[in-house]
């Protein structure tokens, strides 16, 4: 979903020499929480309802407005907007389309859209989130570790204990994974069913610790749970950036399946 689909296309402006009380009247009239401050055809700031409430009504807009203006492009997606607002600690941005102002968007609106991509059971983001992270890193030529985590014998857990208990296992195991993947460069999602994907830019040694911890049998709700972890190392993989996200996730998934098959074969040998 692109920003253009959820932005507010209506823009109202005010000049910096107008009074704060005039800005308040305009916001009330237009039912807007913010105004773009434009002087001589140039954007010089933003004034919000919060700015108006904290300033004396007789002061001019120039004294109350925020001089730092944030811009996003209409064809950027909501994940890019989400990360921009987080990294810049911004609450509102002007949208540009072909270098022309085409609308505005708030952090709150973006967060409402992002919330739809959260898995209600695990509390983790779903597959589109990790795809965005992976494709962004590939585009920027940032190497990363890709871990495909597949719970072992989860179907047996559902059959033996029932699906509600299986849901409890997914919920608890998600919390376990979240506690492991706490590095700033870690991004975790519930990919599908009993499968999880982790992208990490942590050092090799730390990622190896992740794999060891995740692969090790763990007690979850009085039963033992383990996982097969397929690993693609973007720091050592030949021609890593020549591969698409689809190819890399398939490679990690197949590596996880091979580990499962090897475990099954050793069990019955």
């Amino acid at each position: 979903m692109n920003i253009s689909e959820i932005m507010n296309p209506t823009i109202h402006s005010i000049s910096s020499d107008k009074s704060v009380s005039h800005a308040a009247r305009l916001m009330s009239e237009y039912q807007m929480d913010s105004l773009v401050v434009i002087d001589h055809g140039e954007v010089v700031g933003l004034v919000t309802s919060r700015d108006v409430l904290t300033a004396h009504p007789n002061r001019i807009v120039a004294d109350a407005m925020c001089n730092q203006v944030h811009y996003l492009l209409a064809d950027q997606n909501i994940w890019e907007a989400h990360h921009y607002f987080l990294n810049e600690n911004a609450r509102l941005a002007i949208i540009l389309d072909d270098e022309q102002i085409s609308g505005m968007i708030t952090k709150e609106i973006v967060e409402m859209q992002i919330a739809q991509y959260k898995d209600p059971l695990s509390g983790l983001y779903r597959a589109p989130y990790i795809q965005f992270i992976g494709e962004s890193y590939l585009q920027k030529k940032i190497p990363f570790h890709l871990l495909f985590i597949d719970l072992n014998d989860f179907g047996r857990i559902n059959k033996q204990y029932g699906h509600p208990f299986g849901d409890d296992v997914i919920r608890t195991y998600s919390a376990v994974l979240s506690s492991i993947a706490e590095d700033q460069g870690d991004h975790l999602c519930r990919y599908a069913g009993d499968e999880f994907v982790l992208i990490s830019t942590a050092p090799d040694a730390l990622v190896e610790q992740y794999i060891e911890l995740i692969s090790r049998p763990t007690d979850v709700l009085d039963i033992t749970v383990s996982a097969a972890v397929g690993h693609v190392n973007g720091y050592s993989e030949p021609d890593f950036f020549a591969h698409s996200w689809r190819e890399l996730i398939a490679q990690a998934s197949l590596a996880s399946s091979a580990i499962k098959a090897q475990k099954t074969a050793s069990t019955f040998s």
Side-chain angles (χ1 to χ4, degrees), residues 146 148 191 232 244-256:
L146 176 60
F148 193 95
Y191 193 73
V232 176
S244 67
W245 168 253
R246 180 185 176 90
E247 292 169 335
L248 291 174
I249 199 72
Q251 184 178 342
S253 172
L254 290 172
S256 173

Side-chain angles (χ1 to χ4, degrees), residues 153-243:
D153 302 321
F154 187 71
R156 178 187 60 79
I157 293 173
N158 275 335
K159 288 178 182 178
Q160 185 172 346
Y161 299 97
H163 282 77
F165 184 84
D167 288 347
D168 292 340
V169 170
I170 290 292
R171 188 181 298 108
T172 306
Y173 191 74
S174 299
V176 171
L177 288 179
S178 297
S179 68
I180 293 173
E182 290 184 328
D183 191 83
Q184 187 176 3
D186 293 340
H187 302 276
L188 177 66
C189 87
R190 183 186 180 195
Y191 193 73
D194 60 347
E195 299 166 342
F196 302 83
V197 172
L198 171 64
I199 283 178
S200 179
T201 56
D204 286 10
L206 182 55
V207 172
E208 290 299 328
Q209 289 180 28
Y210 289 175
I211 295 173
E212 181 183 353
L213 287 170
I214 295 168
S215 303
R216 183 188 305 165
T218 304
D219 288 336
V220 176
L221 300 176
D222 297 325
I223 65 170
T224 301
V225 175
S226 64
V229 183
H231 179 204
V232 176
N233 187 343
Y235 295 88
S236 60
E237 182 79 14
D239 302 320
F240 180 72
F241 294 110
H243 297 291

Side-chain angles (χ1 to χ4, degrees), residues 77-146:
N77 62 48
I78 59 172
W79 301 106
E80 291 171 308
H82 172 64
H83 279 266
Y84 181 86
F85 280 127
L86 288 179
N87 294 334
E88 298 297 325
N89 195 27
R91 294 183 291 110
L92 185 148
I94 292 175
I95 309 304
L96 298 179
D97 191 359
D98 290 332
E99 300 184 356
Q100 300 295 317
I101 296 177
S102 61
M104 299 178 70
I105 196 166
T106 64
K107 179 181 179 181
E108 181 182 10
I109 292 298
V110 171
E111 294 300 322
M112 288 173 60
Q113 294 297 321
I114 290 292
Q116 298 180 29
Y117 290 90
K118 273 201 171 181
D119 172 48
L121 178 61
S122 65
L124 301 176
Y125 286 120
R126 299 194 308 239
Y129 168 74
I130 210 72
Q131 180 177 344
F132 162 71
I133 297 294
E135 289 180 342
S136 296
Y137 280 6
L138 290 173
Q139 183 180 14
K140 296 173 184 176
K141 298 293 189 291
I142 300 173
F144 57 89
H145 295 273
L146 176 60

Side-chain angles (χ1 to χ4, degrees), residues 10-30:
T10 304
I11 293 287
H12 293 289
S13 63
I14 191 171
S15 59
S16 64
D17 60 347
K18 298 297 184 182
S19 68
V20 168
S21 60
H22 181 65
R25 286 195 297 273
L26 288 180
M27 288 182 190
S28 177
E29 178 183 346
Y30 298 134

